[in-house]
Every structure is written in C-alpha cells, then in structure tokens.
Amino acid sequence: MENINAIITQAHEAYRLYKNLHKNEIADFLEAIGQSGKEAENDLVETAMEETHLAKPRLQGELQRTVNQTKFFAEMVRNGSWVNVIIDTADNNRQPPKPDLRQMQIPLGVVGVFGASNFPFAYSVAGGDTISALAAGCPVVYKLNPGHPETSKKVAEIMTKVITTLGLPTATFAMLEGQDYETGAQLVSHPLIKAIGFTGSFKGGKALYDTAAKRNEPIPFYAEMGSVNPVFILPQMLNQKSAELAEALLISNQASLGQFCTNPGVILSELSADQKSFEDHFRTLIQKSSSGKMLANNIAQNYTKGIEALKQLGANDVGQGMGDEGELFGMPEMLTISADASLKNPELLHEVFGPGSLHVAAQNKEELIKVAANLEGQLTATIWGTDEDMKDYKELLDILIEKAGRLIFNGVPTGVEVTPAMVHGGPFPATTDSRSTSVGTTAIYRFTRPVCLQNFPDHLLPEALQHDNPLKIIRSVNGSYTDSNG
Amino acid sequence: MENINAIITQAHEAYRLYKNLHKNEIADFLEAIGQSGKEAENDLVETAMEETHLAKPRLQGELQRTVNQTKFFAEMVRNGSWVNVIIDTADNNRQPPKPDLRQMQIPLGVVGVFGASNFPFAYSVAGGDTISALAAGCPVVYKLNPGHPETSKKVAEIMTKVITTLGLPTATFAMLEGQDYETGAQLVSHPLIKAIGFTGSFKGGKALYDTAAKRNEPIPFYAEMGSVNPVFILPQMLNQKSAELAEALLISNQASLGQFCTNPGVILSELSADQKSFEDHFRTLIQKSSSGKMLANNIAQNYTKGIEALKQLGANDVGQGMGDEGELFGMPEMLTISADASLKNPELLHEVFGPGSLHVAAQNKEELIKVAANLEGQLTATIWGTDEDMKDYKELLDILIEKAGRLIFNGVPTGVEVTPAMVHGGPFPATTDSRSTSVGTTAIYRFTRPVCLQNFPDHLLPEALQHDNPLKIIRSVNGSYTDSNG
C-alpha cells in the first residue's frame, strides 16, 4: 500500500517552495505540461480509446482542449493580475490615522483532486482542477480514476518528467494509484490537504464530501456532480421549429452516448399538437440512433438500471435506438412523463447518466413554471423561445437563474467554453459549492484566499503589492483599476 | 415557541421580490437603517451599556462605525460594479462559433446571522454580516444574542420600521428571539437557509458548523471565532523600543478588557536582556491596569478559568492588575512561558478571551520560527522589527502569511478598518472559511454566487449584463476593465 501520509507531507513541503516561485516559472511549467501532452497525443489517445471506448475524434478534441487549457491558465499566471490586488493607501491626516492596507490572493496549500471517468484528459490528471490549482500556487495530489488507469499513469509520468526537467520541487504533483474508496477517504481527511476538487457522480462526490465534513479543520470541497440540464421549449418556438429543435437536441443528447455532465437529459414543454409533433420527430431520430460501448461496465449497468427505475416510477418508454446490446452497451432511450407525475415524485428528475432523454409535458404555463420552481440545482438550464414567448415567460427565466450555474438561450448545453465568463458549477446537488466554477478563469479562486498586509514597508511586500507595481498588473487602488503605481 | 419554519419560509418568499429590487432601493434601505440607528443613538448606547458593561465612548464609537458601515455598503450597491460582470463576446467566425457569455454575481437566498456578544452594534443585528447580506440581495433571519437582548430588540424594531416605511417586503429581515441552542440549530438546519454568518466563540461556532454539516444541502458557513493574534517582537526592535512597545501593546491588549477578537493575546520574542526589560515594562503597566466588568458573567468565569488552565499547563503568573474582583469582573493578568513548553503543548496558545497577556520566550531565532510554523490559523499576526531585523527574519514573514488573514507591521492588531482591502478572516480555527472576510467590501461575496448567461438577446439580460451598460458599471469585457459597452 502507498504511504499516503508521506506523499501528502512531501507535497506540503513542496508547497513552501512552489508558492514562492516566480510567476513565469509556474506559467512555463503549465505550458510544458500541455506541450508534452500534445507530443504524446497518439499514444495517449489510443490508450484512452481502449480504456474508455470514446471515439478517436472526441478524444483528440478533448486532448486539444486540455492542452489549450494549460495555455489559458499559463497566460493568466504570466499576466499576473489574477491575484486581485486591492490597495487602500494610508491617510495620516485622518484621526486616528488610516493605515496602508494591501490585499491579494494567496494559495491555500496542497489540493487533492479526483478526476472524472468521462473526461480522461480534460477533467483528469492534468485537467482543469489540477491545472487551476497548480496555477494558483498549490501542489496537487491526484487520486487515480479507475476508469482509465493506464491513460492516467501516462499523463502522470509526463507531469513528473516535466517537473524533473524544469527542476521544480519533485512533490509538486503526485498521483495516488489506490483504487479503493479508502485511498480517497484518506486523501480528503488528511490535515495537510487544504482543498478538494472532484468531478464525478453524485453518489461518489457526496460520500467524499461527508467524509471531509468529519475533518477537524473544515476545507473547501468542490464536487461537480452533474445534473439533468433541463431544456424548456416554449409554445411559439415549438410551433415554428419543432423538427429543427428535435434534431439539435437529439445530437446534443446522444453525443458521446450522453456521457457529458451537461447532457440535456430532461426536455420540458406544454401539451399541444406542436409538442406532439416535436416528440414524434425526436422519437424518429432516437430510433435511428445507435447503441454503443459506454465508459465502463458499471456505468452501462447503472444507466440501464436508471432507465428501468424511471419506468417503475411511471415514465413511458416511447422509443429506443438500435444496435448491439449487452455488457458495456448503452441503448438510446426516449421516455415521457406528465409534469404532474414529476411534481409528485422528484426522483423522476434525477440524473440518469447516459443516452436517455426524458420528455416532461405540462398541462399549461402555470404547471411548467411550477416544475421549474421545484427543480433541484443544475449545472445548466436552457430556454428555447421566440421574442413573443419571452414576453409571457419572464418569470421562468427569473426562476431558472436561481437554479443553475449557466443559462442557455436557444442553444444546447453541451460544449463548455474555457473562457473568463464561463460558469461550470451551480447550486446543490449539481455541485457542493455554488460559489465556484470548475471551468474558466475564476476556477483558480477555488484554491486561494485573501491576505491583507497592513503598514508594511515597500521592500518587504510581495512584488504584486509594491507601490511601483513592478509586475505591471491591474490593481484596484483606492477604488479604481489601474496598472500604475499605488 | 416561535414558528421558525414560518419565519424562514416568509423570508424565502421575500427573497423572490427583494433580489429584484433596483439597486438604488437597496442602497436607500441600507442608508435608512444607518440613519434611524444614529437617531436612536442615546437610547441604544444606554441600553447596550447596561447589558454589556462596555464604556460609553466605546459604544458610541461602535455605533458610529456601524452607521458608517451601512453607508459604505450603500455606496457600493449604488455604484453597482460589485456584481463583478465578466463578458466574453461572441465570435461567429470561429469554428465552432464562440458563444456570447456574460457572468455576474447573484444573491444566494436567505442568510442566517448570529451576532457577537462583544459588539452589540457592529457585529450584531444591523452589523456587518446582516448589512453585507442585505447589500447582496439576501433577506436575513437573525438569531438574537443572549448577551444583549434589549439592545437587539431595539435595533430589530428600527429595521422593521424602516422596512415598513420604505414599503419593502416585510420578511426581508426577521429576528428569532429564542435564546436556546435549539433555535440556532433550527436556523442553520433549515433547507431554505442558503448561508450562515456567525461571530463568536470557537465552541459556539464549531458546534453550529457541525450541525450545519449534517444538512442534506451543504451551505457556506462563515464563522469568525477569534484567535490569539500573535505579536512577534524581533531583537533589534526590542533593543530600541522596549518601553514604547510595552505601552502600545498594553493599551491594545487592555482595551475593552481584551474583549476584541483581534486582541493581541500572545507576545513572542527571544530571550535577552532587552526582552527581560520589555517584560518588566509590561508587568509594571499591567500592575497599574484596572479590573472591570466583563460582558457577562459566563464570559468572566471563562476568562478566570482560562487563566487558571494556562497556569495548570505551566505558565507563570508574573503580574496582575488591580481593582475589584468577583462576579462579572475580569482581572488583567500577565503570564510567561517558554517557547519549548508552548511547542510541547499547543493548548497554551489557545485563545483566552479577556484581559490576559501571555509572553512566550524562545531560546533563539530557530525556536521562534518553529513556534510560528506550529501556530494555528489566526485573524491577525503582527511583526515588530527594524529593517535590520527583517533581513534576518524573511522566513518568519513568509510563514506568518500562511497563518493569518491580516499581517501588521510595527503596529497593533486592534482596530479593523471598513475598507475595500480589509481582510477580517483567516485560516481555521480563526474562521471556518478562510476564503472570506467579514469586514470590508469583499464581505458581500460570502452571500453570492456567479451565474453565466449564454447567447441571450440583450433585452432579456439583467441591466448589469446588457451591451449598452445602462448602469455604467465597471465590467471586464474580453479581458479589459471598462465602463463602456460590451
């Protein structure tokens, strides 16, 4: 068995050195990880194909996105303004004198990361959690995901090699290879772990969260646990574009066999002839969709069980895809249910991870809005509507903003941009901490905290806080943003 | 018994209205609270004097600070830029097209607040937690602090009157008057409560935190629980200013009988003739200090017990103040201990709330730094040093930055400015969430989360996110701050 305590203790020692590296050294490190990963593309993609059964173009795209993400964070670190400096200069004429106060973000310490089975690159060893933690100045101890151990080991080797080549503290990154629950529990319970990033199922995330909640010292625990990503289609839109919409949503729903955390699993609308026509289109399309190998056998089994459970709860199975069945396979399925039934049994609107699509029909606008108001927290919520529709459905938007991290208008929820404004997060149970995003610039702040230095002479201040602003970063000085002195 | 469920449910209903008020309405509300409080100053201060035994000028100052705080947050809300808008505009030429993404901060929902016994105004009914939550757009359910029930009721009445006068949703603010633990436990456990702000003891804060940790839905829990606020005095400084320093630290330590969460409770230095001289000065001064009535009898008893416990653990009682003893009274006390003893028994460095001062003597620099490295999380840490000292003690500063929310150089930790750069927070056990501050501009973000709107037409966006920037707020548009379009 691995000596988890020794690994984490070494990572903590590395933290003392790593946090004080020049920002350009950290930026170079992140870029080198991306570049080395790109160089190993063929090998990594083939290994991941074997382990996850995801298609080659999908994995190539994911790898490129992961490489881009290292560049994105490297650029942010090199720029340096992300530390969010706030300066209030002294006022010695005030009684009592007003002190000089300078705030910046600093790294929390060693971060534990749990990667996802459905993203062997982008949400795994060198994925968003790891890279944003390293960008913040935090060493990472990564817990291997049993869904793709060989891919993970190869990426971890790349990272270790980059660390050695650049002469960084060896323990800046380490991977725990234990595949049992106990390994993860030890990671989240260790006193030198100062934050956790997790991507995976509700069951897995909540169990680790509950374990972490028993710690003596509370720590930030960021679990991104997925959601049903409800799509609301309003009456006029349904009337104008039912065929187009069915196609767009089917593609979004069946991409990678529905194995995306932003998969539109639930589609809601009001009973009408147009709604009937939409469902007919969708059924025809799903019947032409192919089954395929899911990420792992337990995931395929959970999917089949999940669809079965929805039927037990009263959902009607109105159409299914074609192709092979059996071990590992997931079969596209379309189910329908009344809004009333979903209100009576909220379990109908729990995530079933895979290529299923549940269509919820409301009697009228009031019932549709009632379903929206009863939704649990979501990563995304989508509205399809015309301008006319939206005159009548302002309340729906107002409610959905309370429920989700990201709202999409006349589009599909799959496809998560790595950009400053992105929010890939949302209220519980989509995540355990709605104040955060696991994608985009602000993901870095999951692993930092503010510190304020009062009345320090300039030469003792970190460069980011010095009067002359030697890093030339954007700072808030006495209430105004500036890259000048302060 | 109060119907806590009904009160919180009403607050949640108020949230749906309150969160959509125009920013100026919320700013007016906050200012009116401050103004009404100021108008009732005489009555409020007298009531608080009776209940807390704090001196009149101290309470007058605290009330003014509380009023200023309402103005501070009102100004921030009226300005509007605090919602931290981040905009990435669309790029239709990219393949696939890049969507338009707009992020802003939105209120979490109803916030539960627990006020402090030692600040009947600034950290109580209309104190920093309440005002920053209301500023964020969150209704507040406040749990009365049994240390000053009448003061609290009077402030709550003022708030209710302001709400009525301005025609705001009645349940925007409510106070629970139950004084038992169960009332607080119900508040933190209620599913419609979306965040908690607490100021008080470690024991009280941690117990409520543990209760909240059992919730089905995790929520942010901000407990500010105090600390010993270590003060490190370096050799040359000790040589140059031992008398001056003893005086400055004595005043900071004895202000309000040490009943400040930033009270410098522990003073650390290296054994030397200068250090002996400093301790002699401090002892002389503490022997001239007067005992006084503490906030409450249980607080006085805990103080006496705490001092007794330090002695049991080996601390030497080298001097005490003068004046009355007995029920309610707290007697100034100076104790000394070796650094070695404090390393062997970390309990020696736990907070004893009141007018005690523990002096820790290290054999040498290495031992002093070892004590620093072993410190628990603190609200503040202070270094007194000359430029020469600091050449030798860079490592000390580097370590203390890891330990505290605010670092002070050649000053005292008491006195917490309400300004943008302030951090009144710190690593556990000073608080339960080191990512936050309970004082200053950024305190508002304890009660908000980001949401991202993707591809919405302009007229459906909240004003803060619209292209023309009708609120004229500062926004980050494609990576640059601007108050222009975007």
Side-chain angles (χ1 to χ4, degrees):
Chain A
M1 185 157 171
E2 305 171 282
N3 190 336
I4 296 175
N5 177 50
I7 291 169
I8 296 172
T9 304
Q10 283 157 18
H12 177 70
E13 283 157 16
Y15 159 66
R16 289 264 159 93
L17 302 168
Y18 184 69
K19 68 168 186 164
N20 285 326
L21 291 184
H22 190 278
K23 65 187 175 66
N24 292 350
E25 290 180 281
I26 292 182
D28 290 346
F29 173 38
L30 302 182
E31 275 170 357
I33 294 168
Q35 200 181 323
S36 300
K38 184 69 186 170
E39 283 162 14
E41 175 169 357
N42 290 346
D43 183 32
L44 292 178
V45 167
E46 279 190 22
T47 310
M49 280 172 69
E50 228 163 86
E51 290 191 315
T52 66
H53 320 111
L54 291 167
K56 192 168 187 173
R58 155 78 170 76
L59 286 167
Q60 285 171 324
E62 187 190 330
L63 189 123
Q64 188 57 51
R65 175 205 162 133
T66 312
V67 172
N68 291 347
Q69 190 161 253
T70 61
K71 287 185 195 162
F72 178 82
F73 278 104
E75 200 179 309
M76 198 172 135
V77 169
R78 208 179 292 282
N79 171 288
S81 300
W82 74 269
V83 296
N84 274 356
V85 172
I86 307 176
I87 295 172
D88 310 323
T89 55
D91 179 358
N92 291 317
N93 294 323
R94 201 194 67 175
Q95 276 312 322
K98 182 166 175 270
D100 179 272
L101 293 163
R102 289 163 190 262
Q103 183 190 121
M104 69 181 288
Q105 295 291 320
I106 60 171
L108 287 178
V110 184
V111 172
V113 173
F114 294 75
S117 55
N118 60 339
F119 279 90
F121 303 126
Y123 293 84
S124 289
V125 187
D129 286 349
T130 297
I131 297 299
S132 57
L134 291 173
C138 300
V140 168
V141 177
Y142 180 86
K143 157 80 173 59
L144 175 140
N145 183 303
H148 37 70
E150 294 310 315
T151 313
S152 300
K153 283 175 197 169
K154 285 182 176 179
V155 178
E157 271 164 33
I158 288 171
M159 292 190 63
T160 303
K161 207 169 156 192
V162 169
I163 287 170
T164 309
T165 308
L166 297 179
L168 300 177
T170 312
T172 300
F173 175 84
M175 183 163 83
L176 306 180
E177 298 192 6
Q179 302 202 5
D180 51 346
Y181 182 79
E182 189 50 33
T183 299
Q186 278 192 56
L187 181 57
V188 304
S189 304
H190 197 284
L192 291 174
I193 289 291
K194 298 302 179 186
I196 294 289
F198 170 96
T199 312
S201 68
F202 177 78
K203 203 180 144 197
K206 190 57 165 49
L208 286 169
Y209 175 88
D210 290 340
T211 300
K214 296 193 187 94
R215 291 171 57 103
N216 177 43
E217 175 181 346
I219 54 170
F221 191 103
Y222 306 99
E224 190 266 86
M225 306 181 291
S227 64
V228 299
N229 303 294
V231 176
F232 290 80
I233 313 178
L234 303 186
Q236 291 219 6
M237 180 56 81
L238 215 43
N239 178 263
Q240 291 175 16
K241 296 196 177 174
S242 66
E244 246 176 284
L245 262 178
E247 196 175 340
L249 288 169
L250 187 283
I251 291 170
S252 174
N253 173 241
Q254 293 298 319
S256 293
L257 281 171
Q259 297 171 116
F260 285 124
C261 40
T262 54
N263 177 39
V266 172
I267 296 173
L268 307 99
S269 55
E270 292 163 32
L271 280 170
S272 70
D274 297 324
Q275 184 258 359
K276 178 85 178 55
S277 152
F278 169 80
E279 288 192 0
D280 288 344
H281 281 299
F282 200 95
R283 190 178 58 243
T284 308
L285 291 167
I286 213 159
Q287 284 167 342
K288 290 183 198 157
S289 302
S290 296
S291 68
K293 283 187 189 171
M294 295 187 73
L295 293 160
N297 201 31
N298 66 322
I299 288 175
Q301 283 170 354
N302 284 341
Y303 169 64
T304 309
K305 276 186 218 160
I307 294 292
E308 207 45 54
L310 291 178
K311 290 186 207 164
Q312 293 286 335
L313 293 172
N316 306 303
D317 194 356
V318 296
Q320 61 170 231
M322 53 192 195
D324 292 337
E325 288 185 77
E327 194 160 305
L328 265 176
F329 278 82
M331 178 62 73
E333 297 264 358
M334 174 179 176
L335 300 103
T336 60
I337 191 83
S338 70
D340 187 51
S342 83
L343 285 166
K344 284 181 182 140
N345 196 338
E347 273 189 59
L348 279 159
L349 301 187
H350 285 180
E351 186 183 19
V352 177
F353 189 75
S357 178
L358 178 65
H359 293 241
V360 179
Q363 292 290 334
N364 50 39
K365 177 182 156 188
E366 286 63 40
E367 202 181 42
L368 189 76
I369 287 178
K370 203 170 167 193
V371 176
N374 276 278
L375 281 172
E376 294 187 320
Q378 305 286 337
L379 292 171
T380 73
T382 300
I383 298 177
W384 284 86
T386 65
D387 278 359
E388 280 303 305
D389 279 326
M390 293 312 291
K391 283 183 191 156
D392 293 335
Y393 286 81
K394 280 220 155 149
E395 191 187 349
L396 177 66
L397 175 55
D398 195 53
I399 286 170
L400 289 179
I401 284 178
E402 286 176 23
K403 301 290 182 180
R406 180 165 55 108
L407 285 293
I408 298 108
F409 191 68
N410 291 348
V412 296
T414 45
V416 180
E417 287 288 323
V418 182
T419 63
M422 176 51 63
V423 176
H424 189 60
F428 184 84
T431 80
T432 48
D433 192 334
S434 72
R435 291 164 297 173
S436 67
T437 170
S438 62
V439 177
T441 316
T442 50
I444 202 169
Y445 301 112
R446 295 177 297 168
F447 307 120
T448 68
R449 69 170 176 92
V451 70
C452 173
L453 273 71
Q454 177 171 329
N455 282 345
F456 274 75
D458 211 56
H459 67 276
L460 292 177
L461 290 170
E463 279 191 304
L465 299 182
Q466 290 175 8
H467 174 78
D468 287 348
N469 193 11
L471 301 179
K472 298 293 160 218
I473 57 181
I474 304 283
R475 310 188 296 185
S476 173
V477 179
N478 297 325
S480 299
Y481 288 108
T482 172
D483 62 359
S484 183
N485 297 343
Chain B
M1 182 156 174
E2 305 171 284
N3 189 336
I4 296 175
N5 177 50
I7 290 169
I8 296 173
T9 304
Q10 283 157 19
H12 177 70
E13 283 158 17
Y15 160 66
R16 288 266 158 92
L17 303 168
Y18 184 70
K19 68 167 186 165
N20 286 326
L21 291 185
H22 189 277
K23 65 188 175 67
N24 293 350
E25 290 179 281
I26 292 181
D28 291 346
F29 173 39
L30 302 181
E31 273 171 357
I33 294 169
Q35 202 181 320
S36 300
K38 185 70 186 169
E39 282 161 15
E41 174 168 359
N42 290 344
D43 182 32
L44 291 177
V45 166
E46 279 190 23
T47 310
M49 281 172 69
E50 228 163 86
E51 291 191 314
T52 66
H53 320 110
L54 291 167
K56 192 169 186 173
R58 155 76 170 78
L59 286 167
Q60 285 171 324
E62 187 191 329
L63 190 123
Q64 188 57 51
R65 176 206 162 130
T66 312
V67 172
N68 291 347
Q69 191 161 253
T70 61
K71 287 184 195 162
F72 178 82
F73 278 105
E75 201 179 308
M76 198 171 133
V77 169
R78 207 180 293 282
N79 171 288
S81 299
W82 74 269
V83 296
N84 274 356
V85 172
I86 307 175
I87 295 173
D88 309 323
T89 55
D91 179 357
N92 290 318
N93 293 323
R94 201 194 68 174
Q95 276 312 321
K98 182 166 174 273
D100 179 272
L101 293 163
R102 289 163 190 263
Q103 182 190 121
M104 69 181 287
Q105 295 291 320
I106 59 170
L108 287 177
V110 184
V111 172
V113 173
F114 294 75
S117 55
N118 59 339
F119 279 91
F121 303 127
Y123 293 84
S124 289
V125 187
D129 287 348
T130 296
I131 297 300
S132 57
L134 290 174
C138 300
V140 169
V141 177
Y142 180 86
K143 156 80 172 58
L144 176 140
N145 184 304
H148 38 70
E150 294 310 315
T151 312
S152 300
K153 283 176 197 168
K154 286 183 176 180
V155 178
E157 271 164 33
I158 287 171
M159 292 190 63
T160 302
K161 207 168 155 194
V162 169
I163 287 169
T164 309
T165 307
L166 296 179
L168 300 176
T170 312
T172 300
F173 176 84
M175 184 164 82
L176 306 180
E177 298 192 6
Q179 302 202 6
D180 51 347
Y181 182 79
E182 189 48 36
T183 299
Q186 278 191 53
L187 181 58
V188 303
S189 304
H190 198 284
L192 291 174
I193 290 291
K194 298 301 178 185
I196 294 289
F198 170 96
T199 312
S201 68
F202 177 77
K203 203 180 144 196
K206 189 58 163 50
L208 286 169
Y209 176 87
D210 290 339
T211 300
K214 296 193 187 94
R215 293 171 53 103
N216 177 42
E217 176 182 346
I219 53 170
F221 190 102
Y222 307 99
E224 190 267 86
M225 306 182 291
S227 64
V228 298
N229 304 294
V231 176
F232 290 80
I233 314 180
L234 304 185
Q236 293 220 5
M237 179 57 80
L238 215 43
N239 178 264
Q240 292 175 15
K241 297 198 179 173
S242 65
E244 247 176 280
L245 260 177
E247 196 175 341
L249 288 169
L250 188 284
I251 291 171
S252 174
N253 173 240
Q254 293 298 319
S256 293
L257 281 171
Q259 297 172 114
F260 285 125
C261 41
T262 55
N263 177 40
V266 173
I267 296 173
L268 307 99
S269 55
E270 292 163 32
L271 280 170
S272 71
D274 298 324
Q275 184 257 359
K276 178 82 179 52
S277 153
F278 170 79
E279 287 192 0
D280 287 343
H281 280 299
F282 200 94
R283 189 179 58 245
T284 308
L285 291 167
I286 212 157
Q287 284 167 342
K288 291 183 199 157
S289 303
S290 296
S291 69
K293 283 188 188 169
M294 295 188 72
L295 293 160
N297 202 30
N298 66 323
I299 288 175
Q301 283 171 354
N302 284 340
Y303 168 65
T304 309
K305 277 186 217 159
I307 294 291
E308 209 44 57
L310 291 179
K311 291 185 206 164
Q312 294 286 337
L313 293 172
N316 306 302
D317 194 357
V318 296
Q320 62 171 229
M322 53 191 194
D324 293 337
E325 289 186 75
E327 194 161 306
L328 264 177
F329 278 82
M331 178 63 73
E333 299 263 359
M334 175 178 175
L335 302 103
T336 60
I337 191 82
S338 70
D340 187 51
S342 83
L343 285 167
K344 283 181 182 140
N345 196 337
E347 272 188 59
L348 279 158
L349 301 187
H350 285 180
E351 185 182 23
V352 178
F353 189 75
S357 178
L358 178 64
H359 294 241
V360 180
Q363 292 290 336
N364 50 39
K365 176 181 155 187
E366 286 62 41
E367 202 182 42
L368 190 76
I369 287 178
K370 203 170 167 193
V371 176
N374 277 278
L375 282 172
E376 294 187 321
Q378 306 286 337
L379 293 170
T380 73
T382 299
I383 299 177
W384 283 86
T386 65
D387 278 359
E388 279 303 306
D389 279 327
M390 293 312 291
K391 282 182 191 156
D392 292 334
Y393 287 81
K394 282 222 153 145
E395 191 186 350
L396 177 66
L397 175 56
D398 196 52
I399 286 170
L400 289 179
I401 284 178
E402 286 177 23
K403 301 290 182 181
R406 180 165 55 107
L407 284 291
I408 298 108
F409 191 67
N410 292 348
V412 296
T414 44
V416 180
E417 287 287 323
V418 182
T419 62
M422 176 51 63
V423 176
H424 189 59
F428 184 84
T431 80
T432 48
D433 191 336
S434 71
R435 293 164 295 173
S436 67
T437 171
S438 63
V439 177
T441 316
T442 50
I444 201 169
Y445 300 114
R446 294 177 298 167
F447 307 121
T448 68
R449 68 170 177 93
V451 70
C452 174
L453 273 70
Q454 177 170 330
N455 282 344
F456 273 75
D458 211 56
H459 68 275
L460 292 178
L461 290 169
E463 278 190 303
L465 299 182
Q466 290 175 8
H467 173 79
D468 287 348
N469 193 11
L471 301 179
K472 297 293 161 218
I473 58 181
I474 304 284
R475 309 189 296 185
S476 172
V477 180
N478 297 326
S480 300
Y481 288 108
T482 172
D483 61 0
S484 182
N485 297 344

